[in-house]
Amino acid sequence: MLPAAHDDPFAQFKVTFFEECSELLADMEQHLADLESGSYENETLHAIFRAVHSIKAGAGAFSFSRLVTFSHKFEYLLDELRTGKLTADDGLVETLFRSFDILSDLVGFAQNGEAPDEDYGQGALDQISGYLNGETVTAAAASADEPEANIPEASIPVESAEAASEAAGQSPDADKNGLKHFRIEFTPREAMYRHANEPLLIIRELKDLGKTETTIDTSRLPALHIMEPEDAYFSWVFDLWTEYGRDEVDEVFEFVIDDCDLTIVTLDDNNNVVEVDVSPGLDSGEDSGFGFFVSDDKLSAGEVSDAPPAEAVAEKTASGLVVEPDVKKASVSATPEGAVQKPAAPAAAGPGAAPKASSIRVDVDRVDRLVNMVGELVITQSMLAQEVENSTIPPTDRVFTGMDELSTHIRDLQEDVMSIRMQPVKSVFSRMPRIVRDVSKKLGKKVKLITEGESTEVDKTVIEELADPLTHMIRNSLDHGLETPAERLEAGKTEEGSIRLSAEHRGGRIVIEIADDGRGINREKVLHLAREKGVVSEDATLSNNEIDNLIFAPGFSTADEVTDLSGRGVGMDVVRRNIQTLGGRVSVHSQPGAGTRFQLTLPLTLAVLDGMIVSVAGEKFVVPISSILETVRPPEDDVERMVDGSCVVRIRGEYIPVVPTARVFNFAGGEQDPSKGLVILAETEGGRVVGLLVDELSGQQQVVIKSLETNYKAVQGIASATILGNGSVCLILDVDALAKMPALIPAGTMNSNIHKNMAAQVAAE
Amino acid sequence: MAEEQAAGQNVPQGFDPNLIGLAQAAVDDQGVEAGQTVQFVSFKVDDGEYGVDIMAVREIQGWVEVTTLPNTPDHVRGVLNLRGIIVPIFDLRCRFGNGLTEASPLHVMIIVAVGNRIMGLLVDAVSDIITTNANEIMPVPEIEARGDQRFLSGLITVQDRMVALLEIEKLFDIDDLVAQVSSAAE
Amino acid sequence: MGKRIMAVDDSKTMRDMVSFTLKGAGYDVLVADDGVNALSALVGEDVDLIITDVNMPNMNGIELVQKLRSDPRFRATPILILTTESDDSLKQQGRAAGATGWIVKPFVPEKLLKVVNKVCA
């Protein structure tokens, strides 16, 4: 992925740049949303500005010219905004959003190496120009002075560097050797040193241009006891023979130009002056992109160096003389640099200010590795614990207390490490207002979005997976659930519909709800369509809730016309499947005329879960505690056998179907009688409760989730795997899938025969 | 790659994990000659001798108990914890249609990498490292009906033995979803 | 060379690029992502040059220059500010705060090195 370094040394940073862009754009979107809702502060404006500024800087470094040009103008607009020259009225906010979109797109184009059309984003640019030219400005002042916004051209370094070197190339008055002869008189003033400019370096640079002869005039140097160490007493005269031109010579002094007396003359072969120029201005020609400052500020009086000047002089001499062998006078450079050893200045503000709560940026990879390592630590620790348990070490031995402490420490460590990856859902939620705005506008509906619980935190990996499902469900609400203003009024509702997006922690999971106050699910239509598509049989009777959940059936879509919004062929079934892959569940509840509510539950983290270890036919499995409602050992009387060999268990008046785990997994042996084993009651999505039949309970522990699919593939009924303390692999059950499995074994296959044979066997025993 | 050759606890006699490193070095020294040099790790399953591309071999370890995966074909013995990652183990004897291996610590698992996946092959014993020229590999004659036919990419003769070269990708037909309760035809 | 440079910029991309360029030329590089963190990093650490962006959260570059200049340790340390061409007033502010010079973003590596060489070699 890395292009050859020698072609473009910065190419490797493109990855960082684009990562940064996506963070900046995400933050910006949030800020713009705040701006729109009116809940923003000044800092918000500065933050938005900085985001575009950073994107522009990076874009320039990689010569993404379209991006540079656009972000340059956008940045300018934002600067006007943050300095108060423009106010954020609706129109401006609209422009900002539009520009944001273009900016995002241009970043995308740059990332993919594509070039957008010539006029891409022109609309936004025009709008920006409009504001900058004062057409729609509501604030006073600035625009009046500048009828035409005078934005300096954005600079893209490659061009200017080329231009600079081009301009530097030609020098007309070379002498007969092709060399030019300059005489330079250079007298620094005190101010130069205050800006930490070093004559030694300047002189060295000058000497790099060619052959020099140097004369120094130290006549102004006073006696030591009255000398000001930071004052400037020397002046130099240089004769320079160089193949370079005047521009290069100027460049040497460009930084200190205002802090010194400088005379540069060009001499011909006979040492006659050809060209005279005194102190070339700082802004001659184009901005070469760098410069040195000169300040007139005097240092506060009374700051005198303690260090003996003599020492300083000696230091300087030792570091290398500045002069050529044929210098006419003894030269000593007494620049105060070495001598600046100030006594602790009373007013030293220095770095004493307590830093505000700061954050550090860490690569996601590093955090992931950390999480993995801690996971391994958990496994090793439980292995150790087991060994210690099984050993002959007496229980009073300190090893046991040690193990307990270790266990606590590791658990704490794990919590803290996991929390590093936790992020508030806000980052995902913040994209939703935009979607609601855009889509509702397109559909001509009035909808407001209410969000709650944005600060609820979830593992980063889960957050990333949330965006698509949420977007889908919201679009679904907008498309199908919510009525047009007219329809709403007719129905006696308020013109403006609402969608409530909320997140909260519940029982070790995160529960996200999307509820609208629209028309609810059209059950007749759904049932009809389901029958038409063969999803349900003609004569099946379904409860209302079951009909509602039909929308998750594969290939299901009630859209009459395929709009480009929800009907892109990606239906709710994909949403459900994706959520399930994450270990989550999604369900829907609806009330005709009143509204629809989607409920999404997800594990807080994808890396670790609390599990109950169970035995089935001698094999150990993990059941996620979050799925477990309760565990029972039903009395014989409460167990009923059905004709096909399956069982139900009566719990508090309800009949719960029993999933014969061993049989479902085709294991020989295993407890077949619910009253002799253990039934774990679990809730599936769709709200059904089933009872998993297992042999016994082994314990409960937190397990690190390991993927089965990385090296193998998905196994039905199995969600993932973990590694127990003894180093063996233990499979984690997928309760929902398990609950469906017996039904999937078609009659007539061998498996089903085993099923029946075993049932017969059991019956015969 | 040499550093990845971590020998398991029960390495069968005759196999020196350092061999792979040395063999690799030998190849590097020789450079590419006319007809590419290829190397295989050869191993035994029943009476047959087989070889897999050395570049695919990650390590070799003795058999340990693996965790059974429910409702998977018989030749999928289960999954193994390989220093923290879950690796499926395939019983080659069973894959070739000769029934399940009665695995013991003397049996060997060859851990290979196929694409992005790591998998393990349960075999009887590892024999040797074969270095040969690509043009010495003969195609598998179609007339012979062998249980392992479809997994072979070629045959070579080493001294006076016939070694069947396996195409690892073919061994793992990941789309096999059908649970085979009984072994394939013998 | 042994010279140490501190680079302060809230953009990771910029920090990485500056750091890479300077390290490649033999300089020792410290980085910070804003003025506050730069100052804490400089406690007990000496540098030969400080390059700072101007637009940063928490403490902008100008303020950082001011604080540095009022610290005896850095009174005479060259400080370069990174700015963009559209910010003329910013250059003036930097000047007034005591900065030694400026470099316009975006820049090519050669330019950065050239300027760095000019102020600290």
Side-chain angles (χ1 to χ4, degrees):
Chain A
M1 192 171 126
L2 294 173
H6 54 266
D7 293 335
D8 174 10
F10 278 174
Q12 58 185 299
F13 298 114
K14 277 187 186 165
V15 176
T16 316
F17 172 62
F18 287 117
E19 270 171 21
E20 204 181 331
C21 278
S22 89
E23 273 184 47
L24 290 171
L25 288 170
D27 287 344
M28 217 170 110
E29 202 169 17
Q30 246 174 286
H31 291 313
L32 287 176
D34 290 341
L35 202 63
E36 189 190 27
S37 66
S39 62
Y40 67 96
E41 322 152 329
N42 240 348
E43 178 53 30
T44 314
L45 302 178
H46 286 291
I48 300 177
F49 169 84
R50 281 199 301 268
V52 178
H53 174 81
S54 288
I55 293 179
K56 185 185 89 164
F62 302 112
S63 300
F64 295 136
S65 47
R66 289 297 297 272
L67 185 53
V68 172
T69 319
F70 186 85
S71 55
H72 179 67
K73 255 197 143 174
F74 194 5
E75 182 201 52
Y76 203 87
L77 179 69
L78 289 166
D79 200 28
E80 300 279 289
L81 177 61
R82 72 174 183 152
T83 51
K85 299 198 193 95
L86 289 173
T87 44
D89 59 21
D90 283 346
L92 182 62
V93 172
E94 184 64 52
T95 303
L96 293 179
F97 269 111
R98 199 171 166 182
S99 305
F100 170 83
D101 281 339
I102 302 292
L103 187 70
S104 284
D105 290 343
L106 288 176
V107 169
F109 284 126
Q111 192 165 8
N112 296 331
E114 292 164 11
D117 295 335
E118 277 294 310
D119 56 356
Y120 196 89
Q122 193 57 45
L125 277 175
D126 290 340
Q127 279 187 334
I128 295 178
S129 299
Y131 277 101
L132 294 173
N133 293 339
E135 279 164 20
T136 32
V137 162
T138 49
S143 56
D145 299 335
E146 303 157 65
E148 174 77 26
N150 232 339
I151 314 172
E153 278 302 306
S155 83
I156 298 171
V158 178
E159 295 166 8
S160 55
E162 287 174 338
S165 59
E166 240 184 62
Q170 282 75 12
S171 300
D173 5 32
D175 68 5
K176 58 179 184 314
N177 295 333
L179 295 177
K180 304 192 71 190
H181 180 188
F182 296 101
R183 178 162 292 160
I184 302 145
E185 288 172 25
F186 173 50
T187 308
R189 283 183 247 124
E190 184 211 342
M192 194 177 101
Y193 301 122
R194 254 186 279 124
H195 282 88
N197 291 115
E198 173 58 72
L200 172 62
L201 298 178
I202 291 170
I203 294 169
R204 200 183 283 170
E205 202 179 328
L206 189 65
K207 296 181 74 186
D208 280 343
L209 293 180
K211 175 165 174 274
T212 48
E213 278 179 12
T214 312
T215 318
I216 184 173
D217 175 6
T218 58
S219 57
R220 289 189 298 125
L221 185 65
L224 280 180
H225 65 282
I226 54 172
M227 184 184 90
E228 292 282 332
E230 298 195 339
D231 212 335
Y233 298 105
F234 297 119
S235 64
W236 287 265
V237 177
F238 303 100
D239 276 293
L240 171 71
W241 288 269
T242 176
E243 56 189 15
Y244 291 100
R246 178 53 190 272
D247 286 336
E248 277 76 5
V249 179
D250 286 345
E251 211 177 284
V252 171
F253 296 97
E254 198 156 6
F255 290 8
V256 297
I257 200 69
D258 290 340
D259 280 342
C260 65
D261 298 318
L262 185 66
T263 310
I264 303 180
V265 300
T266 315
L267 303 178
D268 64 15
D269 292 344
N270 303 319
N271 285 352
N272 293 325
V273 176
V274 168
E275 192 183 278
V276 184
D277 200 352
V278 180
S279 294
L282 187 58
D283 292 308
S284 54
E286 64 188 53
D287 191 337
S288 57
F290 58 87
F292 282 82
F293 289 130
V294 167
S295 165
D296 295 329
D297 299 346
K298 296 283 177 196
L299 283 173
S300 47
E303 291 182 295
V304 181
S305 166
D306 275 346
E311 211 178 279
V313 165
E315 237 182 276
K316 246 328 167 196
T317 317
S319 73
L321 290 179
V322 148
V323 293
E324 294 283 358
D326 56 359
V327 78
K328 304 218 169 60
K329 287 191 184 166
S331 75
V332 174
S333 170
T335 49
E337 197 184 276
V340 178
Q341 281 308 313
K342 308 215 92 23
K356 304 180 201 160
S358 58
S359 60
I360 57 171
R361 255 207 190 106
V362 181
D363 281 336
V364 170
D365 285 343
R366 279 195 199 172
V367 178
D368 283 347
R369 278 207 298 276
L370 197 57
V371 168
N372 281 338
M373 278 191 285
V374 174
E376 300 303 327
L377 206 55
V378 167
I379 292 173
T380 308
Q381 177 252 325
S382 44
M383 183 268 292
L384 254 184
Q386 200 157 11
E387 289 298 314
V388 169
E389 281 281 340
N390 298 342
S391 71
T392 53
I393 301 176
T396 47
D397 195 299
R398 279 186 27 166
V399 167
F400 285 90
T401 21
M403 289 306 299
D404 280 342
E405 280 177 25
L406 183 63
S407 169
T408 315
H409 289 321
I410 292 190
R411 186 166 273 262
D412 288 345
L413 175 64
Q414 190 172 46
E415 273 178 28
D416 283 344
V417 167
M418 297 311 277
S419 72
I420 293 179
R421 289 212 309 212
M422 298 292 262
Q423 256 185 11
V425 290
K426 188 168 185 194
S427 55
V428 172
F429 277 20
S430 65
R431 297 183 219 173
M432 301 301 139
R434 196 56 201 294
I435 294 171
V436 171
R437 256 177 93 249
D438 291 347
V439 175
S440 63
K441 269 206 179 101
K442 251 193 206 151
L443 297 174
K445 298 182 182 172
K446 284 207 181 128
V447 183
K448 81 168 173 242
L449 178 69
I450 308 164
T451 48
E452 283 169 18
E454 300 170 304
S455 54
T456 311
E457 286 193 339
V458 171
D459 191 285
K460 188 179 195 322
T461 40
V462 174
I463 290 241
E464 286 154 11
E465 305 293 327
L466 271 179
D468 279 347
L470 285 187
T471 308
H472 241 90
M473 289 185 279
I474 286 190
R475 281 190 166 156
N476 200 287
S477 278
L478 289 167
D479 216 10
H480 306 301
L482 288 161
E483 317 94 326
T484 62
E487 288 169 327
R488 286 184 68 87
L489 288 174
E490 249 187 73
K493 296 183 182 174
T494 56
E495 216 187 16
E496 196 185 39
S498 67
I499 298 181
R500 189 176 60 89
L501 175 62
S502 68
E504 64 169 342
H505 284 150
R506 224 189 281 168
R509 292 168 80 76
I510 180 171
V511 179
I512 297 180
E513 290 195 349
I514 298 160
D516 66 58
D517 62 355
R519 56 167 78 97
I521 294 180
N522 185 335
R523 295 197 175 118
E524 270 180 33
K525 206 172 178 190
V526 165
L527 193 53
H528 179 73
L529 251 168
R531 290 206 171 110
E532 220 176 72
K533 297 192 182 217
V535 175
V536 293
S537 57
E538 286 291 333
D539 51 357
T541 43
L542 286 79
S543 69
N544 280 336
N545 206 325
E546 285 172 330
I547 299 180
D548 290 342
N549 279 287
L550 280 175
I551 63 172
F552 292 113
F556 205 85
S557 171
T558 58
D560 294 326
E561 348 99 39
V562 175
T563 62
D564 67 343
L565 301 171
S566 331
R568 249 180 288 151
V570 182
M572 295 303 279
D573 65 324
V574 175
V575 171
R576 169 171 276 182
R577 229 178 308 137
N578 289 341
I579 302 281
Q580 279 173 345
T581 325
L582 297 175
R585 299 203 289 275
V586 60
S587 61
V588 67
H589 301 268
S590 167
Q591 211 179 334
T596 312
R597 177 169 59 93
F598 286 103
Q599 196 186 73
L600 200 62
T601 60
L602 283 164
L604 280 178
T605 167
L606 300 181
V608 163
L609 65 76
D610 276 316
M612 193 161 278
I613 318 279
V614 300
S615 285
V616 177
E619 298 278 342
K620 286 212 164 66
F621 292 94
V622 174
V623 182
I625 295 223
S626 55
S627 305
I628 301 179
L629 295 171
E630 65 183 283
T631 334
V632 297
R633 176 165 274 147
E636 253 196 83
D637 293 340
D638 287 344
V639 179
E640 305 256 348
R641 260 187 203 104
M642 318 290 280
V643 166
D644 63 353
S646 63
C647 299
V648 291
V649 142
R650 194 178 59 221
I651 309 268
R652 293 186 289 271
E654 286 198 30
Y655 286 96
I656 312 288
V658 171
V659 176
T661 318
R663 291 221 300 265
V664 165
F665 283 156
N666 268 308
F667 289 151
E671 189 52 67
Q672 305 297 338
D673 183 348
S675 63
K676 300 221 176 61
L678 222 52
V679 175
I680 300 181
L681 299 180
E683 191 181 15
T684 66
E685 78 215 359
R688 280 199 307 147
V689 176
V690 296
L692 298 178
L693 176 58
V694 303
D695 298 353
E696 62 183 5
L697 229 56
S698 279
Q700 182 178 328
Q701 70 175 81
Q702 202 173 40
V703 297
V704 177
I705 300 176
K706 300 266 179 194
S707 164
L708 199 55
E709 291 179 58
T710 308
N711 291 320
Y712 186 55
K713 63 181 172 185
V715 173
Q716 245 194 337
I718 304 293
S720 50
T722 186
I723 295 174
L724 296 178
N726 60 10
S728 65
V729 178
C730 184
L731 303 175
I732 301 175
L733 296 180
D734 177 349
V735 172
D736 281 341
L738 259 184
K740 298 183 188 136
M741 274 167 73
L744 284 177
I745 300 175
T749 64
M750 284 207 50
N751 290 330
S752 150
N753 285 335
I754 289 180
H755 188 94
K756 290 180 189 148
N757 289 338
M758 282 188 144
Q761 264 177 14
V762 166
E765 273 164 12
Chain B
M1 212 194 89
E3 64 272 14
E4 294 178 65
Q5 297 303 321
Q9 322 89 296
N10 298 4
V11 178
Q13 309 91 320
F15 182 72
D16 181 355
N18 292 321
L19 262 180
I20 294 195
L22 293 172
Q24 189 61 47
V27 174
D28 293 341
D29 287 342
Q30 285 167 36
V32 177
E33 303 176 357
Q36 255 193 318
T37 310
V38 285
Q39 286 190 303
F40 298 93
V41 171
S42 72
F43 55 89
K44 291 200 170 72
V45 177
D46 280 334
D47 296 328
E49 194 170 350
Y50 300 88
V52 285
D53 185 356
I54 203 176
M55 298 305 289
V57 177
R58 286 285 166 265
E59 63 188 81
I60 296 175
Q61 104 176 34
W63 166 259
V64 291
E65 287 299 324
V66 297
T67 305
T68 320
L69 290 173
N71 291 332
T72 49
D74 282 349
H75 66 263
V76 179
R77 291 298 289 246
V79 283
L80 169 77
N81 164 20
L82 188 68
R83 293 187 299 282
I85 50 169
I86 314 279
V87 174
I89 305 296
F90 295 80
D91 184 335
L92 280 193
R93 170 183 277 99
C94 184
R95 194 72 170 117
F96 297 158
N98 285 335
L100 284 172
T101 304
E102 282 173 28
S104 76
L106 293 176
H107 286 84
V108 176
M109 295 191 285
I110 304 179
I111 310 292
V112 295
V114 184
N116 292 331
R117 297 170 191 264
I118 311 259
M119 310 182 196
L121 307 174
L122 171 60
V123 304
D124 293 342
V126 170
S127 324
D128 207 347
I129 294 184
I130 304 169
T131 306
T132 181
N133 255 317
N135 48 24
E136 287 187 32
I137 301 175
M138 299 170 290
V140 182
E142 287 196 26
I143 32 166
E144 273 186 52
R146 308 163 56 136
D148 53 11
Q149 185 95 1
R150 54 196 172 107
F151 307 119
L152 306 183
S153 66
L155 300 170
I156 52 168
T157 315
V158 177
Q159 283 143 24
D160 47 3
R161 292 146 31 220
M162 178 86 87
V163 177
L165 302 175
L166 290 174
E167 203 166 316
I168 305 193
E169 287 84 1
K170 291 223 180 91
L171 278 174
F172 309 118
D173 192 353
I174 293 297
D175 298 317
D176 255 344
L177 240 184
V178 180
Q180 290 160 10
V181 178
S182 57
S183 332
E186 305 200 354
Chain C
M1 267 196 213
K3 293 282 181 166
R4 291 182 104 199
I5 303 182
M6 160 152 283
V8 190
D9 195 315
D10 63 334
S11 157
K12 180 169 197 297
T13 315
M14 213 37 73
R15 287 199 300 276
D16 285 355
M17 299 200 298
V18 170
S19 184
F20 173 78
T21 306
L22 295 175
K23 279 184 179 161
Y27 292 100
D28 222 354
V29 181
L30 299 177
V31 293
D33 64 356
D34 68 25
V36 175
N37 290 329
L39 289 175
S40 349
L42 288 172
V43 174
E45 292 281 0
D46 281 332
V47 292
D48 301 292
L49 167 66
I50 297 156
I51 303 177
T52 175
D53 185 21
V54 175
N55 289 296
M56 299 184 293
N58 297 329
M59 182 196 290
N60 69 33
I62 304 296
E63 214 185 313
L64 175 62
V65 174
Q66 285 168 343
K67 290 221 150 64
L68 287 168
R69 282 290 180 238
S70 59
D71 179 344
R73 289 192 302 147
F74 301 111
R75 249 193 66 225
T77 309
I79 303 176
L80 295 172
I81 64 173
L82 294 175
T83 180
T84 54
E85 68 301 300
S86 59
D87 254 327
D88 223 55
S89 72
L90 220 43
K91 287 182 197 166
Q92 301 304 324
Q93 288 178 52
R95 227 170 141 128
T100 312
W102 78 85
I103 308 174
V104 175
K105 279 198 290 192
F107 52 82
V108 284
E110 293 76 34
K111 185 154 280 175
L112 174 65
L113 290 175
K114 185 172 180 180
V115 178
V116 167
N117 258 311
K118 238 178 149 73
V119 291
C120 128

